[in-house]
Amino acid sequence: MDNVLAQQQVKLLRAIAQGDRPAFEQLYRLTSPHLFAVALRTLRQPAWAEEVLHDCFLTIWNRADSYDAALSAPMTWMTHIVRNRCIDWLRSGQAREALASEEYSDSTQETDADNTEQPFDDSQAARLQHCLQHLSSEQRQSVTLAYYQGMSHSDIAAWLQQPVGSVKSWIRRAMEHLRKCVGL
């Protein structure tokens, strides 16, 4: 089954290299769920994964003629494009800009008056915000990535290009400070 699918993908890539748009659409329908999962696993943000995947399919369209079936399976070649583009995107600063704009838009949105499940009342939230401002930038960024973005210590270390041990220390010290400062 996998061999038949790989052969079909090879044929589609050859047709795409000749400018065949229906073949491109068919390849997209066959491979985009898997490639989106790869991007999402790397970027951990659906909007980011969608944006990167779009760029990857443009690359596949433009570079289909460079695909060599003797070197790799089609899915391996396309997965390699997606992984590399995700890494490039994270390193380029686009992710940091997107994260900053998302945090800004999240912080400026009004809370819903009907929302009764607030973990903090307004005074506690203000106190937490005040306490976060007294952390070092490394601690604040590490805590934000860990607790608001759900990133692991190793993901944060890769994101910040710092050792994992440093990230763990920053988070531990930040949490100690926040517990004392907020009074929890």
Side-chain angles (χ1 to χ4, degrees):
M1 179 73 171
D2 287 339
N3 193 26
V4 172
L5 186 58
Q7 289 174 351
Q8 181 184 16
Q9 291 170 354
V10 169
K11 289 178 184 175
L12 290 171
L13 282 169
R14 287 182 182 147
I16 292 166
Q18 301 300 316
D20 187 342
R21 289 180 188 265
F24 182 68
E25 182 180 344
Q26 188 176 0
L27 182 74
Y28 178 85
R29 289 177 192 260
L30 286 172
T31 61
S32 63
H34 173 78
L35 296 175
F36 178 76
V38 170
L40 185 60
R41 198 168 38 248
T42 304
L43 299 172
R44 297 181 183 257
Q45 295 290 328
W48 299 356
E50 289 172 5
E51 185 174 338
V52 168
L53 189 62
H54 174 76
D55 290 343
C56 291
F57 272 101
L58 290 175
T59 300
I60 291 167
W61 172 260
N62 291 322
R63 294 184 41 207
D65 61 341
S66 70
Y67 170 72
D68 185 353
L71 296 176
S72 67
M75 190 56 80
T76 303
W77 182 71
M78 290 183 285
T79 301
H80 182 76
I81 291 171
V82 171
R83 283 191 182 135
N84 286 343
R85 185 62 53 93
C86 288
I87 291 167
D88 290 345
W89 200 79
L90 287 170
R91 288 181 179 164
S92 73
Q94 288 175 302
R96 289 185 181 129
E97 290 172 13
L99 183 61
S101 69
E102 287 172 13
E103 287 176 1
Y104 176 76
S105 68
D106 288 347
S107 68
T108 58
Q109 290 178 352
E110 293 183 350
T111 58
D112 186 2
D114 296 330
N115 187 1
T116 58
E117 293 185 25
Q118 293 183 358
F120 295 114
D121 63 25
D122 291 339
S123 65
Q124 289 173 319
R127 181 75 182 148
L128 177 60
Q129 189 65 28
H130 171 77
C131 294
L132 281 168
Q133 296 305 318
H134 287 87
L135 295 173
S136 70
S137 62
E138 294 88 1
Q139 290 174 327
R140 186 172 45 255
Q141 192 170 21
S142 297
V143 166
T144 301
L145 292 172
Y147 291 95
Y148 291 116
Q149 299 301 321
M151 294 174 76
S152 69
H153 290 134
S154 58
D155 291 336
I156 295 168
W159 178 277
L160 299 175
Q161 299 177 350
Q162 297 292 328
V164 175
S166 296
V167 169
K168 288 180 180 181
S169 295
W170 292 336
I171 291 173
R172 187 184 72 250
R173 281 190 239 127
M175 293 307 295
E176 288 170 6
H177 169 76
L178 291 173
R179 279 188 200 98
K180 290 177 186 173
C181 184
V182 173
L184 293 178

